[in-house]
Amino acid sequence: MFKTILPFYIICFALYIFFTRQPDYLDGQFATGIIHYIKDSAQKPLAKVFFTIDEKTYAANAAYSLRNLRESETVPVIYDTSNPANAAIYKWWGYWLRWNELVASILIPLVLYYAAKAITANPTPETLIEELEDKDRTKRKKYN
């Protein structure tokens, strides 16, 4: 059963990823940004990427779990042309693959599978009798 579901899952997840990225991969533009750590209101260092477009500097959030960025590191940035402040670092982890989507895409089908299995595991005797009666009936032709 998993051999039939796995290709369907991979295709659906790949299409979901490709068409839901923000900023959009097909419409976005690329630039080069520099990582700087800025302290937030709680004096905690926060990674930001700064990039320049048409002599104007923009900043975007660069922090993401399991992503190691160094101060003054040069990274590729993808941004929305209509709103350059809407930008992201263009890397596999954080742009194409994200924790919440990866975990949800695995857990939701598993929960639904085990729920369906639990619901259909112990049918009532009446249901079993109905199923056996339906199997015993000969199929009628649509037109006699």
Side-chain angles (χ1 to χ4, degrees):
M1 183 173 114
F2 286 111
K3 288 181 182 180
T4 59
I5 293 176
L6 189 62
F8 181 69
Y9 165 79
I10 291 171
I11 290 169
C12 288
F13 189 62
L15 289 172
Y16 168 78
I17 286 175
F18 187 72
F19 289 109
T20 59
R21 299 301 98 182
Q22 287 298 323
D24 188 31
Y25 174 72
L26 297 175
D27 295 334
Q29 295 292 321
F30 290 92
T32 302
I34 298 174
I35 301 294
H36 291 292
Y37 283 89
I38 298 172
K39 293 189 178 181
D40 62 359
S41 60
Q43 298 302 318
K44 188 176 180 183
L46 182 66
K48 292 270 188 181
V49 61
F50 292 91
F51 59 102
T52 304
I53 299 165
D54 296 332
E55 298 179 7
K56 187 170 181 186
T57 302
Y58 296 95
N61 188 10
Y64 198 75
S65 58
L66 297 179
R67 186 191 286 171
N68 297 325
L69 299 170
R70 295 180 310 276
E71 180 71 27
S72 301
E73 181 180 352
T74 303
V75 293
V77 175
I78 186 169
Y79 64 93
D80 189 1
T81 54
S82 62
N83 181 14
N86 181 14
I89 293 178
Y90 185 70
K91 289 194 175 194
W92 275 102
W93 190 249
Y95 181 73
W96 289 112
L97 292 178
R98 297 179 185 157
W99 272 114
N100 54 355
E101 295 168 347
L102 194 61
V103 170
S105 73
I106 293 170
L107 287 181
I108 291 172
L110 282 177
V111 167
L112 292 176
Y113 171 75
Y114 284 111
K117 197 172 181 181
I119 290 169
T120 59
N122 297 320
T124 61
E126 295 86 16
T127 307
L128 288 174
I129 292 171
E130 282 182 27
E131 282 185 27
L132 290 174
E133 287 174 357
D134 285 343
K135 285 182 183 176
D136 292 341
R137 292 187 194 153
T138 58
K139 236 182 176 182
R140 285 185 2 188
K141 291 184 178 179
K142 189 170 186 179
Y143 301 106
N144 289 335

